[in-house]
Each structure stands twice: as structure tokens, then as C-alpha cells.
């Protein structure tokens, strides 16, 4: 029995190392081969645009860095709406060199800090909103360990209406309570997905077509989750898998790349 357990432990270690090597090769293949030979585009995901002193979750990009990043994108990429990119993926006719800007969660500084910069540069963006905090105006649960002065607050109903009315902005759903969907049962997943859509549609009086998975890693949702998103009537859904978009990308698992706060030169190197 002892020998068997040791053999199993050795196999487990070997298997783990092998899977890591396969994942590394997959990442190398995508970044160095696919990107070289295949047309691809990029979707970025931001959370907040704010100047803070305490940002343990790295959700904030300073106003200065955000503007410099947007100015760089304006010069180097064809900036399009996320819905247009989703249509391009659906038709398998993506346009190389295109980029879409998105925000997750629904922080109020999206309206007061990000929108003026987007408006100045005429850049479209999509904001995915977690709906539970709209009425309560309580802090998002993940911000509890952030200094009170540096926490961002969720947008209120009137603010959501105001930003949604802007011609550059699209609104998407991001569940009700922002759970890791991969860790709750399918009935709870269905309610989180559907109720966020219903609430936003009631507030805005228009259809909500896009969805973004909270956290967005491959472990934070499943094929069953995707099925529930389709059942809810969404036309597409976004993940955060840190990859470019290709013509074969899954319309209900569209990859995005998370942006952290950094100067423009560091940011340029990350995009290479």
C-alpha cells in the first residue's frame, strides 16, 4: 500500500508538470505563431479610472495613464464597439488591428473619470454592470479590504441611465452578486445571469445583449454556464482569458485582456 501511494504521488507530480508544459506550449503557440500568421484583434477590460493610494486588487488605472493609453490606441488601432466585434466574430470575418474597450462591475468613476476621456477621443466602450449594489449603494464586497477613502462606489440608477444614453457607451450584464459562477449550482447560476439582465432592461428600457463572466478565468464558468447565458437571451459573452480574439473564438467565451495601472511604455511592451 505504501509503495502504491508513493507511485500515485509521483504520477501526480509528473502529470502536473506535464500539464504545465502543455499550457506553456499553448501560450507560446498563441503568442508567437497564431499572432504572426492569423488576423486577430484585442478586447481590453478595465475596472476603474481613479487616482488612489491604496489599490490591493489592482483595479484602478490613473486618469493620466488611462488617457495616455487611449491616445496610443487611437493612433495604433481601429477602435470599434464590442457589439461590432461580436458581429465580426459571429460572421468569422474579424478585422485585424481592431480593438474594443470594456469595463467590468459598474463603478461610478466610469461615468465621471473615464467617459470624459472616451468622449474627447471619440472611443466607444462597453460597461458590464453587477446589479446588486445599484439600489443599496453599498461598497462592492471585494472592496472591503481597501481603504475607505480609496473605494469606488457603484453607479446609481440615474447614473446608469445617464451613461447608457451616451452614443459611445453600451451596457452589458455582469450577474447580480458577482459570484464565481463555477462554484455555485446551476439554478443559482441561472438566477444570477437572468436577473441581472432583467433588472438592467427594466432600468434602461432596452435589450441587454452582452454578458461578462465575473472573474472570467476558464475555471469561473463551464459549458453549463454558457448554456444558461444563451437561454437568458444574450447574444455574446466575454471572459478574461488574457488572449487575442481570432476568427474561431467562441462567441460565448470571447477572450479579453485585463489592464493594470502602468505607464505607457510598460503598457506597449505588454501588448506586443
Amino acid at each position: 500500500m505504501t509503495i502504491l501511494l508513493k507511485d500515485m504521488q509521483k504520477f501526480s507530480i509528473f502529470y502536473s508538470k506535464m500539464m504545465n508544459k502543455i499550457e506553456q506550449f499553448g501560450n507560446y503557440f498563441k503568442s508567437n505563431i497564431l499572432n504572426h500568421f492569423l488576423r486577430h484583434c484585442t478586447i481590453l477590460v478595465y475596472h476603474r479610472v481613479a487616482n488612489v493610494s491604496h489599490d490591493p486588487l489592482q483595479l484602478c488605472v490613473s486618469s493620466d495613464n488611462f488617457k495616455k493609453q487611449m491616445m496610443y490606441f487611437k493612433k495604433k488601432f481601429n477602435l470599434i464597439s464590442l457589439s461590432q466585434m461580436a458581429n465580426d466574430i459571429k460572421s468569422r470575418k474579424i478585422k485585424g488591428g481592431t480593438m474594443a474597450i470594456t469595463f467590468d462591475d459598474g463603478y461610478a468613476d466610469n461615468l465621471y473619470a473615464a467617459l470624459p476621456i472616451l468622449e474627447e477621443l471619440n472611443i466607444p466602450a462597453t460597461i458590464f454592470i453587477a446589479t446588486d449594489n445599484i439600489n443599496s449603494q453599498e461598497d462592492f464586497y471585494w472592496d472591503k479590504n481597501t481603504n475607505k477613502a480609496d473605494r469606488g462606489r457603484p453607479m446609481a440608477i440615474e447614473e446608469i441611465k445617464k451613461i447608457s444614453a451616451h452614443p459611445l457607451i453600451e451596457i452589458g450584464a455582469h450577474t447580480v452578486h458577482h459570484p464565481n459562477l463555477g462554484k455555485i449550482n446551476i439554478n443559482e447560476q441561472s438566477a444570477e445571469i437572468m436577473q441581472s439582465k432583467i433588472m438592467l432592461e427594466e432600468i434602461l428600457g432596452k435589450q441587454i445583449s452582452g454578458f461578462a463572466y465575473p472573474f472570467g478565468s476558464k475555471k469561473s464558468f463551464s459549458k453549463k454556464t454558457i448554456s444558461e447565458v444563451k437561454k437568458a437571451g444574450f447574444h455574446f459573452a466575454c471572459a478574461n482569458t488574457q488572449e487575442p480574439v481570432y476568427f474561431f473564438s467562441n462567441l460565448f467565451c470571447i477572450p479579453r485582456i485585463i489592464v493594470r495601472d502602468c505607464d505607457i511604455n510598460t503598457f506597449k511592451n505588454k501588448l506586443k
Side-chain angles (χ1 to χ4, degrees):
M1 180 64 72
T2 302
I3 295 174
L4 179 61
L5 286 173
K6 287 182 178 179
D7 288 342
M8 290 176 65
Q9 290 172 348
K10 288 179 181 179
F11 176 78
S12 177
I13 293 171
F14 168 76
Y15 180 78
S16 178
K17 289 182 177 180
M18 183 179 69
M19 294 306 294
N20 286 335
K21 291 292 183 183
I22 291 173
E23 183 176 1
Q24 289 172 10
F25 175 76
N27 292 336
Y28 175 85
F29 181 78
K30 288 176 181 177
S31 61
N32 293 280
I33 299 177
L34 283 185
N35 288 0
H36 183 75
F37 291 104
L38 289 182
R39 184 182 299 149
H40 60 278
C41 47
T42 306
I43 304 175
L44 299 180
V45 53
Y46 291 83
H47 293 83
R48 299 187 60 200
V49 176
N51 302 317
V52 299
S53 60
H54 185 240
D55 185 23
L57 298 179
Q58 296 182 288
L59 297 180
C60 299
V61 174
S62 71
S63 297
D64 184 58
N65 282 337
F66 182 72
K67 185 170 184 178
K68 288 177 180 177
Q69 290 169 10
M70 293 301 112
M71 292 173 66
Y72 174 72
F73 300 151
K74 188 75 175 180
K75 292 178 181 177
K76 297 293 183 180
F77 296 88
N78 176 26
L79 292 157
I80 64 174
S81 68
L82 181 61
S83 59
Q84 179 59 58
M85 190 172 288
N87 287 334
D88 292 343
I89 297 169
K90 185 177 181 179
S91 64
R92 303 303 183 194
K93 295 179 181 178
I94 67 167
K95 303 173 181 67
T98 56
M99 175 181 280
I101 305 297
T102 68
F103 292 82
D104 278 5
D105 302 332
Y107 284 97
D109 52 56
N110 294 177
L111 171 63
Y112 298 110
L115 182 59
I117 295 171
L118 296 170
E119 188 174 40
E120 178 185 344
L121 298 171
N122 196 36
I123 296 174
T126 297
I127 301 172
F128 292 101
I129 297 175
T131 58
D132 184 53
N133 297 65
I134 293 173
N135 288 324
S136 69
Q137 284 294 285
E138 293 180 0
D139 294 334
F140 290 117
Y141 69 82
W142 54 87
D143 280 334
K144 300 295 183 174
N145 293 324
T146 301
N147 291 341
K148 185 68 176 177
D150 290 325
R151 294 178 195 172
R153 66 171 178 82
M155 281 189 283
I157 288 178
E158 292 306 313
E159 291 169 322
I160 293 171
K161 289 180 178 180
K162 182 176 180 179
I163 200 167
S164 175
H166 198 284
L168 288 172
I169 301 299
E170 297 175 348
I171 300 296
H174 197 43
T175 71
V176 177
H177 302 96
H178 199 281
N180 183 327
L181 293 170
K183 293 184 177 181
I184 60 178
N185 67 52
I186 197 64
N187 290 331
E188 292 172 320
Q189 290 185 50
S190 178
E192 287 283 346
I193 293 163
M194 179 64 80
Q195 291 304 316
S196 64
K197 186 177 195 291
I198 291 172
M199 183 172 184
L200 288 171
E201 289 180 343
E202 288 177 347
I203 290 171
L204 299 175
K206 59 184 178 182
Q207 185 181 37
I208 300 298
S209 300
F211 180 81
Y213 303 101
F215 304 100
S217 70
K218 293 178 180 178
K219 293 183 179 180
S220 66
F221 61 96
S222 66
K223 290 181 179 179
K224 290 183 178 180
T225 311
I226 292 174
S227 178
E228 293 303 316
V229 171
K230 291 178 180 178
K231 287 180 186 177
F234 290 102
H235 297 171
F236 62 89
C238 292
N240 299 338
T241 50
Q242 314 305 306
E243 302 169 344
V245 178
Y246 301 101
F247 74 89
F248 53 79
S249 293
N250 187 333
L251 191 60
F252 285 87
C253 184
I254 303 174
R256 297 184 295 169
I257 297 171
I258 297 176
V259 181
R260 305 301 186 190
D261 194 32
C262 60
D263 62 71
I264 190 61
N265 290 324
T266 302
F267 193 79
K268 287 177 184 179
N269 290 329
K270 289 184 177 182
L271 281 181
K272 288 181 179 178

